[in-house]
Amino acid sequence: MKKILFITILTLICGALSAQNTLQNQFSNQFGSSASGVDRNGYDRNGNPIDTTAVNDASTIPIGLTSWKIDARFGNRTEVPVDTLQHGFQNTNDTGGPYGHYTYLGNLGAPRIAHVFFDRKDASQFFFFDPYDYTVAQPQDVTYTNTKSPFVNLTYYKQGSSRDGEERFKAYFAVNANKRMGFGFNIDYVYGRGKYNHQSTALFNGNLFAYYLGDKYNMHFSFINDNLKVAENGGITDDRYVSAPLDMAEGGRTYANSEIPTNLDDIWNHNTGYHAFLTHRYNVGFYRDNPDENDTTATQVFVPVTSFMHTLKVDIARRKYISQNEEQNQEYFLNNFLPDIDQDKTDYISVKNMLGISLREGFNKWAKAGLTAFISHEFRRFTMTDTLANTPGQRIPTDYTENVISVGGQLIKEQGKMFHYNVTGEFALIGEDAGAFSVEGNGNMNFRLFNDTVRLNANAYIKNQNPTFYYRHFHSKHYWWDNNDLSKMMRTRIEGQLNIDRWRTQLKAGVENITNYTYLDNISVSKGGGEDTETPVSYLNNVGVSQHSGSIQVFSASLRQDFKLGIFHLDNEVTYQTSSNQDILPLPKLVLYHNFYLSFGLAKKVLKIEMGADVRYFTEYYAPDYAPAIGQFYLQNKDTRYKLGNYPLLNGYINLHLKRTRIFLLMYNLIQGQGEHSYFLAPHYPLNPRLFKIGISWNFFD
């Protein structure tokens, strides 16, 4: 870890020095969208909090430093603030999310799933990456930066010793070659050794990016690499080692974390991926005089009227399941389809091209709003192990190829101060997903109320989705299915949001209806024991795919209300949600986050300090179990399921902000061990015990 840190810092410094002499004047700040690029929780791609109201200050953010993200379909730019904010920095390395919306396996970087339903994303084609969205980046997550001088951010998190501690190192570098072209890279390395046996995580994610912003030609490029290696222990063998430790040793002693037995060892999931993305467009338009009244120099600006677009996305990924203890496999799993191999592999390749033409807003008499039409083609190939008929023991790699041709369009209004909207639709004409479609829309309206600006946002969609490939076909060492009769899932959602900044209030509410909900089911089989024997009942693990033919409704409402009195602050978020079928789609009724802290400055406010405590809590529910042989969350066994939750996870912290440096000190899980199920979020996977964490982040603007 120290070598990686040293080499990376040296590379950044050398790159900054060599690029310094090539920098030219700042390029014009032209963006295709005025909408905010901040996510709903106010955190950037790297998980750092950002201040959406900050004014550029030469002492913190040099004038001329701007950042943006793009959407992965059309390449439209959305400006995002530069990360300098202190508030919430202590939560930027929390696998459970800054507000505790995720169930995870306890260790840093471990697989996770949102227990707030509206935070869940659609399953991707290579869904083995989905539980690692904590670090895995998509093209729309890449932050592009324009800067007059090289910009560098270095962030380092540390907890514990070299035997069972956690570390995370993040680096971001951006530089301009000239006023129109820039490039850079981002590195994110997570290493969680684990407090319990055989649960380590080693996650490396990095990306390179480049852009060119000319009057007529625009281009954005990114190349992302993922390398995720996770040890699987199947959870601890008995929850009482944590929840009632004295019972397990007849009151004689308690067990250290490393002494608690786990269900599995010598098993790893290793996922790798390479993702290339290019979106570019050619604009047709005209030049006109610069409308900026403050510009005393006679200049002209280019006004695009029509754009011709092309987007290319290439994904290459491999999932490797490594299992080196065949005797253990026989004891734990129901099936061992490939007993003669210890590395089970599946490969994925996707190449997607999109061509489009866009009539820009305000320049066409038959399209007052912006209008875009596009056509796309996607080639997908999946490779899995298969068996040879009538030839026992023979294994061959088998390819499954899919092609999909889709058409679609977008209607968008971005100009004006009061009302904006964006509606996008897509329909699959030919191929594996033929008949699938989606229509998604969002809008916002701003108006005055009691000398304050009130923002109303709404979004809705209707989707008819084909279950992704690995729900339809999956061949592996322990799980095997071919589901050729799965129906398409119909999902309909509508959600609204009210923001009143002066009152520090945000209110959201939404409802979704799902037909043909498709999910991973627990179909484990009993292997004996029970009430009539001295041996407790036990099960042989198995996973399958199920589909609920009826409808499931989910309702969610969330209130975020913050209070301030002098240096005292109290931030609150209360989420209520309900599922009409808790057996198939279990959700906690209440999810709470509260943060009480003092915020003040010292040394003429050069040193800013926040100190306080926050708590995360959700009510009991049948939390999803985790299947180590596939690296996915699935339902608990109906015969042995039990509820988890009703446990307040309390952390105390101090945040320090001195010019361009931020530091936090945090004591995690202050009340460990309290509650009937102690500190479990997922069945048989305890959270880390009470421990001390530290983090530091530097911004360099020259």
Side-chain angles (χ1 to χ4, degrees):
M1 180 65 197
K2 292 181 179 179
K3 292 181 180 179
I4 294 176
L5 178 62
F6 175 76
I7 293 171
T8 304
I9 293 175
L10 183 62
T11 302
L12 291 172
I13 294 174
C14 294
L17 292 175
S18 64
Q20 181 71 44
N21 293 329
T22 67
L23 300 179
Q24 300 182 15
N25 294 331
Q26 172 197 6
F27 76 109
S28 59
N29 182 21
Q30 300 174 353
F31 289 92
S33 173
S34 61
S36 171
V38 183
D39 71 12
R40 66 173 63 192
N41 293 323
Y43 283 74
D44 69 5
R45 150 72 183 96
N46 296 314
N48 295 321
I50 46 183
D51 185 358
T52 61
T53 62
V55 177
N56 282 355
D57 183 341
S59 65
T60 57
I61 307 176
I63 301 300
L65 179 65
T66 55
S67 296
W68 65 92
K69 296 181 181 180
I70 62 171
D71 75 83
R73 177 177 276 142
F74 303 120
N76 293 327
R77 286 168 281 160
T78 303
E79 187 173 3
V80 297
V82 178
D83 168 32
T84 60
L85 191 63
Q86 169 193 11
H87 180 58
F89 180 50
Q90 79 281 357
N91 291 334
T92 58
N93 199 41
D94 194 325
T95 309
Y99 298 97
H101 286 190
Y102 290 83
T103 290
Y104 65 104
L105 305 187
N107 194 21
L108 177 68
R112 70 178 192 175
I113 184 173
H115 50 240
V116 175
F117 179 76
F118 277 26
D119 286 346
R120 294 185 182 178
K121 302 175 183 177
D122 294 342
S124 62
Q125 287 295 335
F126 193 77
F127 71 178
F128 304 105
F129 284 140
D130 293 353
Y132 302 97
D133 63 346
Y134 171 68
T135 57
V136 171
Q138 301 296 328
Q140 62 269 20
D141 299 321
V142 175
T143 299
Y144 299 84
T145 297
N146 161 64
T147 175
K148 297 179 71 173
S149 60
F151 170 65
V152 177
N153 172 265
L154 300 176
T155 304
Y156 180 67
Y157 305 90
K158 172 70 175 177
Q159 178 278 311
S161 67
S162 59
R163 183 178 62 85
D164 62 357
E166 302 172 348
E167 292 179 275
R168 186 180 189 186
F169 173 69
K170 298 192 295 184
Y172 181 87
F173 172 76
V175 66
N176 272 58
N178 55 48
K179 66 179 182 179
R180 298 185 181 277
M181 179 182 293
F183 55 89
F185 64 84
N186 182 73
I187 293 173
D188 188 358
Y189 179 72
V190 175
Y191 187 26
R193 297 169 179 84
K195 301 299 180 182
Y196 302 91
N197 287 328
H198 206 71
Q199 65 162 178
S200 65
T201 59
L203 315 178
F204 175 84
N205 305 89
N207 69 73
L208 302 170
F209 65 84
Y211 65 87
Y212 178 83
L213 299 177
D215 287 343
K216 296 185 178 181
Y217 180 73
N218 299 163
M219 178 275 292
H220 288 85
F221 168 81
S222 66
F223 178 80
I224 301 172
N225 172 232
D226 305 305
N227 194 331
L228 319 175
K229 189 171 184 179
V230 177
E232 305 285 2
N233 66 15
I236 62 177
T237 58
D238 194 318
D239 291 358
R240 292 177 297 170
Y241 281 108
V242 172
S243 59
L246 294 180
D247 293 347
M248 300 305 293
E250 299 180 351
R253 63 187 291 265
T254 58
Y255 290 84
N257 296 327
S258 60
E259 297 175 331
I260 296 176
T262 57
N263 287 301
L264 300 172
D265 54 32
D266 296 326
I267 287 180
W268 294 266
N269 276 306
H270 189 189
N271 299 309
T272 56
Y274 303 91
H275 317 279
F277 176 81
L278 171 68
T279 180
H280 54 152
R281 65 173 61 195
Y282 182 80
N283 300 313
V284 178
F286 60 92
Y287 288 90
R288 69 181 179 190
D289 291 339
N290 190 346
D292 187 355
E293 297 179 357
N294 297 321
D295 191 346
T296 59
T297 305
T299 60
Q300 288 189 322
V301 296
F302 181 75
V303 180
V305 175
T306 302
S307 298
F308 299 91
M309 301 174 293
H310 171 238
T311 297
L312 170 65
K313 188 172 185 288
V314 179
D315 297 301
I316 301 174
R318 165 171 287 188
R319 183 255 182 178
K320 185 188 299 182
Y321 172 72
I322 305 169
S323 176
Q324 298 177 341
N325 188 333
E326 198 59 39
E327 181 179 353
Q328 172 187 262
N329 293 337
Q330 297 292 336
E331 288 291 323
Y332 186 81
F333 296 101
L334 176 63
N335 298 308
N336 285 275
F337 297 107
L338 306 172
D340 51 337
I341 62 174
D342 59 10
Q343 292 192 12
D344 172 22
K345 301 175 183 178
T346 179
D347 294 333
Y348 165 68
I349 296 176
S350 171
V351 180
K352 185 173 183 178
N353 281 277
M354 187 277 292
L355 295 172
I357 180 172
S358 175
L359 306 179
R360 307 297 284 268
E361 180 179 353
F363 294 101
N364 296 277
K365 61 182 181 181
W366 56 84
K368 296 299 182 182
L371 181 63
T372 300
F374 64 90
I375 182 171
S376 68
H377 170 262
E378 182 176 11
F379 166 81
R380 302 191 292 249
R381 188 184 72 195
F382 305 85
T383 303
M384 298 185 299
T385 300
D386 211 340
T387 57
L388 286 174
N390 302 319
T391 312
Q394 293 296 316
R395 309 285 185 264
I396 60 170
T398 302
D399 290 342
Y400 295 78
T401 301
E402 299 180 349
N403 286 274
V404 179
I405 296 178
S406 302
V407 296
Q410 179 192 56
L411 187 66
I412 186 170
K413 181 183 184 299
E414 296 178 311
Q415 299 177 6
K417 296 182 179 180
M418 183 176 178
F419 181 60
H420 313 93
Y421 61 82
N422 181 343
V423 180
T424 304
E426 184 172 8
F427 181 79
L429 291 174
I430 302 172
E432 186 66 32
D433 298 340
F437 65 86
S438 68
V439 179
E440 303 177 61
N442 61 75
N444 64 80
M445 182 172 62
N446 305 317
F447 60 91
R448 301 290 294 178
L449 177 66
F450 304 122
N451 296 321
D452 192 18
T453 298
V454 176
R455 300 193 309 276
L456 287 174
N457 300 298
N459 64 78
Y461 62 63
I462 178 170
K463 301 178 181 179
N464 191 35
Q465 299 173 310
N466 195 24
T468 57
F469 177 84
Y470 290 110
Y471 283 96
R472 292 178 276 121
H473 303 282
F474 185 63
H475 303 167
S476 69
K477 188 175 180 68
H478 303 301
Y479 310 137
W480 199 293
W481 58 74
D482 289 286
N483 300 312
N484 297 309
D485 57 348
L486 291 179
S487 301
K488 290 182 173 61
M489 293 185 294
M490 179 67 75
R491 302 182 60 179
T492 306
R493 176 186 292 187
I494 183 169
E495 183 179 20
Q497 177 176 311
L498 170 69
N499 295 276
I500 306 177
D501 293 337
R502 187 175 182 180
W503 297 355
R504 302 172 183 267
T505 300
Q506 180 188 94
L507 177 64
K508 295 185 297 183
V511 63
E512 177 162 345
N513 183 82
I514 310 172
T515 304
N516 296 326
Y517 177 64
T518 307
Y519 58 96
L520 294 177
D521 201 359
N522 192 320
I523 53 175
S524 299
V525 174
S526 171
K527 63 176 181 180
E531 296 181 357
D532 298 332
T533 68
E534 296 181 356
T535 304
V537 63
S538 57
Y539 289 82
L540 291 169
N541 178 266
N542 197 18
V543 175
V545 174
S546 297
Q547 189 170 68
H548 179 65
S549 59
S551 295
I552 300 176
Q553 292 80 39
V554 177
F555 171 79
S556 177
S558 177
L559 173 65
R560 184 173 298 172
Q561 181 64 65
D562 300 338
F563 300 97
K564 176 184 178 183
L565 179 61
I567 65 172
F568 298 97
H569 296 254
L570 178 61
D571 298 346
N572 306 276
E573 184 190 71
V574 178
T575 299
Y576 171 81
Q577 59 183 2
T578 181
S579 165
S580 64
N581 193 326
Q582 288 285 346
D583 290 330
I584 295 176
L585 183 55
L587 299 171
K589 292 284 187 181
L590 283 176
V591 180
L592 309 178
Y593 175 80
H594 303 285
N595 182 19
F596 178 72
Y597 60 98
L598 284 69
S599 180
F600 55 92
L602 296 176
K604 297 182 180 181
K605 297 186 178 181
V606 174
L607 175 63
K608 299 177 182 179
I609 300 175
E610 282 187 0
M611 55 189 304
D614 65 6
V615 62
R616 299 157 176 77
Y617 173 89
F618 58 86
T619 52
E620 289 187 326
Y621 78 116
Y622 293 116
D625 206 342
Y626 176 74
I630 196 175
Q632 300 289 310
F633 288 91
Y634 69 137
L635 294 181
Q636 290 190 52
N637 188 325
K638 292 182 179 180
D639 296 329
T640 61
R641 67 179 184 175
Y642 64 98
K643 292 185 176 181
L644 291 175
N646 197 28
Y647 174 72
L649 180 60
L650 180 66
N651 303 325
Y653 66 90
I654 298 176
N655 272 342
L656 306 174
H657 189 186
L658 179 61
K659 293 185 177 180
R660 302 174 182 177
T661 303
R662 290 167 295 171
I663 301 172
F664 78 78
L665 310 172
L666 183 143
M667 186 60 72
Y668 173 83
N669 202 359
L670 286 171
I671 57 172
Q672 74 168 71
Q674 305 300 315
E676 181 181 353
H677 295 304
S678 191
Y679 42 99
F680 289 86
L681 296 186
H684 317 305
Y685 287 90
L687 289 173
N688 285 339
R690 185 185 304 114
L691 46 84
F692 176 74
K693 299 183 179 183
I694 186 172
I696 184 168
S697 180
W698 301 271
N699 283 330
F700 303 92
F701 300 120
D702 46 38

